[in-house]
Amino acid sequence: MLHGLTPDGWAASGARLVWHSYPLPYSSEPLPAASLAPAASLAPAATFAPLAPEAAPLLEPLDAFYLPLAKLGGVERPGPRIEIFALSTP
């Protein structure tokens, strides 16, 4: 498994890219722009979303377990949002 590859290394790394995000500062780095990886394109393969679009949970900023403390409306499960993309090269 390879971690933290730049977009230039995506095509050589395999057929899938896994990315996670959550509304906490240490878990919210955006997915690099597609323009940074002109040799590969990303097609969404699967998404596992713990929060409904209207969710606004109260989070502990130092929590490593992704468990909201309050305002649980719209929280479907603990954990970060996980997206899996299929890589394709021209």
Side-chain angles (χ1 to χ4, degrees):
M1 182 179 295
L2 303 172
H3 297 276
L5 287 177
T6 63
D8 294 333
W10 292 353
S13 68
R16 300 279 187 261
L17 173 72
V18 178
W19 177 68
H20 84 280
S21 62
Y22 200 69
L24 291 174
Y26 62 83
S27 189
S28 61
E29 187 170 330
L31 186 64
S35 62
L36 296 177
S41 62
L42 302 176
T47 299
F48 305 95
L51 307 174
E54 72 278 357
L58 177 64
L59 305 171
E60 164 57 51
L62 299 177
D63 181 20
F65 299 107
Y66 303 100
L67 296 172
L69 299 175
K71 298 184 180 181
L72 302 177
V75 176
E76 298 175 3
R77 67 187 66 76
R81 177 183 178 91
I82 299 171
E83 295 180 77
I84 301 172
F85 298 93
L87 290 172
S88 61
T89 55

